[in-house]
Amino acid sequence: MRSVFRLLVSGFLVGLFVVAVCGQASQTGGLTGVVTDKAGAVVAGATVEIISEATGRSVRTMTTGDDGGFSVALLPPAMYRLEVSAANFKKAAVSGVQIKIGEATRQDVTLEAGRIEEVVNVEANRYLSKLPAVFGYRRHQRYCFRWRRGNWPAYLSSRVRSG
């Protein structure tokens, strides 16, 4: 008798869980889209941030795939703002994206080319400044003197042994 009662109670709890999950899924919507540039080429690796317009907080952040596409499910119905950024492109913002219950809203985003910057970091190597201390001062002078006279390749070739 106890096992039958346990079976009925566990079945009832599983049924409640399924109803709660299905009910929650029907109270949400989705968002899909593709990020492209002005020429129509897809932008892979762009960062898409979904921000609630009511609260101003970020709801989700994702990265576009190789096809430039993004997809988000289970968003509560509300108005959202999309902020899309990628390397070498200007940041784009799309306001007024409305998510409705049970629908997948499509919002494509086009990015404009931005300023391309290249930064080169040059770092001093502290070991080269300590070369005399490692090799000894006289030995260092000999190597530097040979290098300045143009005899460095000849000095190296004289040190090579066959066999």
Side-chain angles (χ1 to χ4, degrees), residues 11-12 16 28 40 57-58 63 78 107 109 116 118 123 161:
F12 178 73
L16 280 177
T28 61
R57 292 187 179 177
S58 177
T63 304
Q107 181 64 55
V109 180
I116 298 173
E118 187 173 330
E123 197 173 296
R161 295 184 184 132

Side-chain angles (χ1 to χ4, degrees), residues 51 53 79-83 92-98 107 109:
I51 301 168
E53 287 190 347
M79 295 293 282
Y80 293 96
R81 180 177 78 242
L82 296 178
E83 290 185 358
V94 180
S95 297
V97 179
Q98 185 174 7
Q107 181 64 55
V109 180

Side-chain angles (χ1 to χ4, degrees), residues 16-82:
L16 280 177
F17 178 75
V18 169
V19 168
V21 169
C22 291
Q24 180 67 21
S26 66
Q27 298 295 320
T28 61
L31 176 66
T32 62
V34 176
V35 179
T36 58
D37 63 3
K38 287 268 188 182
V42 296
V43 180
T47 302
V48 180
E49 186 174 9
I50 302 171
I51 301 168
S52 171
E53 287 190 347
T55 62
R57 292 187 179 177
S58 177
V59 177
R60 303 259 174 88
T61 302
M62 74 210 67
T63 304
T64 59
D66 292 336
D67 60 349
F70 62 93
S71 180
V72 180
L74 302 176
L75 283 173
M79 295 293 282
Y80 293 96
R81 180 177 78 242
L82 296 178

